[in-house]
Amino acid sequence: MIIVMKQKVSAEQVDAVSQRIRSLGYEPHIIHGESRDVIGAVGDERGKMVLQSLESMAGVEKVVPILKPYKLASREVCPEPSQVELAPGVIIGGAELIVMAGPCSVESEEQIVFTAQAVKRAGARVLRGGAFKPRTSPYSFQGMEEEGLKLLDLARQETGLPIVTEVVNPRDVELVARYADILQVGARNVQNFALLKMLGQLDKPVLLKRGMATTIQEYLMSAEYILSEGNRRVVLCERGIRTFETATRNTLDISAVPVLKEQTHLPVVIDPSHATGHAQLVPSMCYAGVAAGCDGLIVEVHPTPETAASDGPQSLRPAEFADMMLKLKRFAEVAERTLPQVGGC
């Protein structure tokens, strides 16, 4: 249920309604709007009609059922798009198009620092890099783990860029959270509910990637796991789905962007690198994603893709990334988005 409060209600009235919701066996989630507060009451669907009694309480305007199975992610609860602070001064979901860039895997100090400096010059606002790598083959490079996290931290110190990196195992959440500004959940873990619950208890942004065979409703239910634990700083990432097509690594579902924008208030990012698997296709998909209305991009960049430990074929070289960013600025302007002043590599 959604409890819509009247305009200019007191904090005491909001608190009284929240306490009453808890006494009825539901969990209140307060959303502060521009003109009024809304309280989402989340819990067992079977007895939700008991919440209608809240309409008699002081400060309550009306009680409305939430029709979507994903309650807190739904536009019914929060009609306006959410803005998520990824790091001080870096906010996604607003006018600025946020670009995250860096290598698939952290491989060395020289590699990650050089790449971080290059993508920052080109206009990236967040550095991406994998320290823990879930791979299809157990014999493939699995990442540098904590040593990789330390190198990401060093690159952050050198450039000032916040870092986003993947957490693979629930037991590593505390470790990764000590280093990362943004914790990424990869496609293979989109329904790892134990992991999602743990991330929901943190006060850190979470970049949640869509699974290869996950429907949009299933995807938003995964986001709901994080939101229901109290963490509102969730960013969605469309990274391609598995279809019968073999020309690309996955099929980038561009239509998912406007669909998600219609269904949820959460920011939406596009990952064209994992979607296509081919570096030459990445710029076109970035432009298409911006045209479709995405709030950000996450792009793989590597100084020497031919020697990359993972995903070299889909990684742009720094000069290619810089060129793409210059062209992207024109697409962003048409989409009424802004990009920081970009320079060459």
Side-chain angles (χ1 to χ4, degrees):
M1 290 284 194
I2 304 171
I3 295 83
V4 181
M5 304 299 291
K6 296 177 181 177
Q7 291 184 332
K8 299 180 180 178
V9 295
S10 66
E12 289 76 15
Q13 288 173 323
V14 173
D15 186 57
V17 173
S18 297
Q19 290 184 31
R20 178 59 179 159
I21 290 171
R22 288 193 183 93
S23 73
L24 293 172
Y26 293 81
E27 186 64 29
H29 295 266
I30 303 171
I31 295 99
H32 299 290
E34 291 186 9
S35 60
R36 69 185 71 220
D37 290 340
V38 171
I39 306 175
V42 179
D44 193 336
E45 289 286 292
R46 293 168 294 182
K48 65 182 180 181
M49 296 312 297
V50 71
L51 294 165
Q52 290 288 164
S53 63
L54 296 172
E55 285 190 346
S56 63
M57 293 190 68
V60 175
E61 182 173 296
K62 58 183 176 180
V63 177
V64 183
I66 306 174
L67 301 179
K68 300 292 185 184
Y70 40 89
K71 310 302 182 185
L72 301 174
S74 172
R75 284 262 187 182
E76 293 177 276
V77 168
C78 187
E80 296 301 315
S82 290
Q83 296 186 17
V84 174
E85 185 178 55
L86 302 177
V90 183
I91 298 173
I92 192 167
E96 184 181 353
L97 182 71
I98 299 296
V99 178
M100 312 174 195
C104 176
S105 301
V106 179
E107 298 165 7
S108 68
E109 177 181 333
E110 180 183 10
Q111 172 242 21
I112 192 62
V113 172
F114 176 84
T115 307
Q117 293 169 338
V119 298
K120 181 179 181 179
R121 284 196 299 272
R125 296 280 271 144
V126 177
L127 172 66
R128 65 145 295 153
F132 292 85
K133 298 302 299 178
R135 307 300 299 279
T136 302
S137 170
Y139 308 113
S140 298
F141 176 61
Q142 303 290 314
M144 296 181 69
E145 302 185 347
E146 186 170 8
E147 185 59 32
L149 293 172
K150 291 177 180 178
L151 293 178
L152 283 167
D153 181 45
L154 176 62
R156 175 173 49 199
Q157 294 176 42
E158 293 286 333
T159 63
L161 290 176
I163 56 177
V164 55
T165 192
E166 184 171 355
V167 57
V168 176
N169 196 310
R171 71 181 180 213
D172 296 323
V173 168
E174 185 179 340
L175 171 65
V176 177
R178 286 207 302 268
Y179 291 93
D181 299 284
I182 308 146
L183 287 89
Q184 176 183 308
V185 177
R188 293 174 176 84
N189 272 318
V190 69
Q191 290 185 314
N192 184 340
F193 302 125
L195 175 62
L196 299 179
K197 284 183 176 182
M198 289 189 70
L199 294 173
Q201 295 165 20
L202 298 179
D203 185 24
K204 289 239 175 184
V206 176
L207 180 69
L208 179 65
K209 288 197 169 185
R210 183 182 179 187
M212 291 174 280
T214 307
T215 67
I216 285 179
Q217 178 165 308
E218 290 168 339
Y219 184 33
L220 291 176
M221 291 304 293
S222 292
E224 194 78 7
Y225 267 90
I226 303 170
L227 295 167
S228 66
E229 291 292 328
N231 188 348
R232 307 295 175 78
R233 300 165 74 183
V234 177
V235 179
L236 304 174
C237 180
E238 164 57 43
R239 47 79 69 207
I241 54 176
R242 180 168 290 172
T243 68
F244 58 83
E245 183 54 70
T246 58
T248 53
R249 179 175 179 176
N250 295 285
T251 297
L252 181 60
D253 186 3
I254 287 288
S255 66
V257 178
V259 171
L260 287 168
K261 284 292 187 178
E262 181 182 76
Q263 298 294 323
T264 181
H265 56 91
L266 300 173
V268 180
V269 168
I270 285 285
D271 177 354
S273 303
H274 280 91
T276 65
H278 300 284
Q280 69 270 23
L281 302 179
V282 168
S284 295
M285 293 302 95
C286 286
Y287 309 148
V290 172
C294 72
D295 299 293
L297 302 163
I298 182 165
V299 181
E300 291 193 358
V301 180
H302 195 288
T304 54
E306 65 276 7
T307 65
S310 59
D311 291 346
Q314 66 194 38
S315 300
L316 296 176
R317 298 176 188 276
E320 294 169 334
F321 176 71
D323 182 61
M324 184 199 77
M325 290 291 285
L326 288 169
K327 294 176 182 176
L328 187 66
K329 195 170 182 68
R330 299 201 291 271
F331 285 88
E333 288 170 355
V334 172
E336 299 182 338
R337 299 276 187 170
T338 63
L339 272 175
Q341 186 64 40
V342 298
C345 177

